[in-house]
Amino acid sequence: GIFLDGRLHLASINDAERDELTAELNRAILQPNSIETSLRFKIGGVPHLIFSKALNPNSLFPPAYEVAIYPLAAAIARQREIRNQVIFAGALLLLAGLLASYFLSGRLSEPVEELAVVSEENRAQRRRVEAVLETTSEELQRAARFSADASHQLKTPVSVLRAGIEELLAREDFSPEIYDGLSELLHQTYRMTGMVNDLLLLSRMDAGRLQIQFEAINLSQLIEEWIDDLGALPDDLHVELKTNFPPDLMVRGEKRYLSLIMQNLLENARKYNRPGGEICVYAQEEGEFVLLGVENTGKPIPPAARDHIFERFHRGVVGENVPGHGLGLNLARELARLHGGDLRLVRSDAEWTGFEVRFRSARQPALTTSQAA
């Protein structure tokens, strides 16, 4: 797992145990020279050995720690077995004398040697795991830097290209066919700008540089604003939009990123719809979360493609003739997770294709004032 901003991100244990372990790690990490620490902790009533190691010592970014958990149940059981053998051997020593003690001492040394070998193998395995994690972390950082640098370098030539096309469109000595071609090229520059901006945002999240400023946001009002914007756009498919959500649903998050999630879901619902189809937007509060759903009629997503729709640049068979660059769903899901929720596909059949996204309700205490990717 990863320990960041006083929180442990580890899905394999329940919330109560994660909170207790987080408190123990906070105390251990606050000690001087806590680049590497270890402690024992019970998970599900079973003792475990917890190792933590700083991933970015002396960094300007918030300190992050890799947390590795090793179960001790097998070692404790083996230790108990050895203790029983020692007790039994002691009884035999009292009865059999010096000859039996010599025989049993050789027999008892074997489990101790085996335990030492197992312990050394565990240490070697841990070193290998740490080396793999370090290599993987470096590769992810290099990939994030490359994506950010490439996206940033693309912004200038695209802007220059758009300015040149706009100057050509301002002239009046071209034929209509040339103006049509220039208009199409101008449209493509705006698509490229959108893709570059999405890549820059994703690279910031991959590099851990995106900060979410949590505040109470009226999700109902945000939905209504985007529905109004969607209705103002040209609609060749003549799609009917239906809504079902109460007023003043309050969530915690940053409005511009929540707005980006809403934009991607609504635009996808229109793009992948059928002529004369429908879009249904609903929202409701469920415990500590607010659930937002966007459904649309149209062709279902093939079963083989459903596991890949959240991958970057994935373009399914359903959308092969639909404009886009395959980043919207991935970006929306990553932003939803940064807000403490998630985005998932809940259905795709002959009638409806539906996505649901969860946000933390503003009625619940905030996790932190800011959260890094």
Side-chain angles (χ1 to χ4, degrees):
I2 296 296
F3 188 82
L4 179 66
D5 284 346
R7 292 186 60 220
L8 175 61
H9 301 269
L10 180 65
S12 59
I13 61 178
N14 60 46
D15 293 341
E17 292 172 334
R18 188 186 302 113
D19 292 341
E20 294 178 4
L21 180 53
T22 298
E24 291 291 334
L25 287 172
N26 273 315
R27 285 192 290 270
I29 289 172
L30 287 176
Q31 300 297 324
N33 302 319
S34 62
I35 295 179
E36 292 188 15
T37 59
S38 62
L39 55 94
R40 292 185 64 166
F41 185 78
K42 284 189 177 181
I43 298 177
V46 178
H48 286 68
L49 192 59
I50 314 297
F51 292 97
S52 67
K53 181 179 180 181
L55 294 176
N56 57 348
N58 303 320
S59 172
L60 297 179
F61 293 102
Y65 295 83
E66 167 204 347
V67 178
I69 301 179
Y70 298 89
L72 296 177
I76 292 174
R78 185 60 177 164
Q79 186 181 29
R80 187 180 298 113
E81 179 184 355
I82 294 173
R83 183 175 63 248
N84 293 336
Q85 290 178 349
V86 171
I87 294 173
F88 177 72
L92 290 178
L93 283 172
L94 294 175
L95 296 174
L98 294 176
L99 183 61
S101 69
Y102 176 77
F103 174 77
L104 291 174
S105 62
R107 182 167 178 255
L108 290 174
S109 64
E110 294 179 1
V112 176
E113 293 174 356
E114 181 180 349
L115 183 61
V117 171
V118 171
S119 179
E120 182 61 31
E121 290 177 351
N122 287 339
R123 284 195 293 268
Q125 183 178 3
R126 178 192 170 192
R127 288 193 293 268
R128 289 194 296 269
V129 170
E130 289 177 347
V132 171
L133 287 173
E134 184 176 356
T135 301
T136 303
S137 177
E138 292 176 354
E139 290 176 352
L140 288 174
Q141 290 177 4
R142 285 196 297 269
R145 285 195 299 268
F146 173 79
S147 178
D149 293 342
S151 301
H152 187 269
Q153 293 298 324
L154 281 172
K155 292 186 71 174
T156 299
V158 171
S159 298
V160 173
L161 179 61
R162 181 188 304 152
I165 295 174
E166 289 175 346
E167 289 182 3
L168 291 174
L169 283 171
R171 295 175 53 175
E172 300 179 355
D173 54 348
F174 292 137
S175 63
E177 293 80 5
I178 293 179
Y179 285 113
D180 291 340
L182 290 173
S183 298
E184 177 61 26
L185 289 175
L186 184 63
H187 173 68
Q188 294 300 323
T189 63
Y190 281 101
R191 286 187 58 195
M192 290 180 64
T193 298
M195 181 176 65
V196 169
N197 290 335
D198 288 349
L199 283 172
L200 281 171
L201 185 56
L202 285 169
S203 65
R204 289 178 60 197
M205 287 190 284
D206 292 341
R209 295 196 298 266
L210 184 65
Q211 300 290 326
I212 303 295
Q213 301 298 326
F214 286 93
E215 58 180 345
I217 302 295
N218 190 327
L219 182 64
S220 302
Q221 181 180 348
L222 186 63
I223 296 172
E224 292 173 351
E225 291 174 358
W226 268 106
I227 289 176
D228 290 341
D229 291 344
L230 193 69
L233 297 175
D235 181 15
D236 297 333
L237 298 177
H238 303 291
V239 175
E240 181 182 359
L241 196 146
K242 299 180 179 179
T243 61
N244 181 18
F245 55 88
D248 299 326
L249 278 174
M250 305 301 294
V251 299
R252 289 198 176 276
E254 188 164 340
K255 184 174 182 179
R256 57 173 172 166
Y257 296 133
L258 296 178
S259 180
L260 192 54
I261 296 172
M262 194 72 221
Q263 174 187 354
N264 283 320
L265 291 178
L266 285 176
E267 288 182 349
N268 276 358
R270 171 178 280 188
K271 287 192 300 185
Y272 296 104
N273 219 312
R274 59 175 171 79
E278 298 179 4
I279 297 175
C280 179
V281 180
Y282 60 89
Q284 60 188 13
E285 192 163 1
E286 294 186 353
E288 63 183 53
F289 291 98
V290 172
L291 182 68
L292 167 67
V294 179
E295 296 183 343
N296 65 276
T297 55
K299 294 182 180 179
I301 301 173
R306 293 175 188 176
D307 293 335
H308 306 285
I309 58 174
F310 292 104
E311 296 176 2
R312 296 177 188 179
F313 299 106
H314 175 74
R315 301 283 291 158
V317 176
V318 175
E320 58 186 2
N321 296 319
V322 179
H325 43 263
L327 290 175
L329 285 178
N330 177 267
L331 181 61
R333 186 177 66 170
E334 294 300 322
L335 288 173
R337 289 178 174 177
L338 280 177
H339 283 77
D342 202 2
L343 170 65
R344 62 192 182 98
L345 174 70
V346 292
R347 65 179 296 191
S348 187
D349 50 41
E351 296 181 356
W352 294 93
T353 293
F355 290 88
E356 287 184 350
V357 57
R358 293 192 307 167
F359 301 107
R360 287 195 171 272
S361 172
R363 303 179 190 275
Q364 301 296 324
L367 295 176
T368 56
T369 56
S370 65
Q371 179 172 334

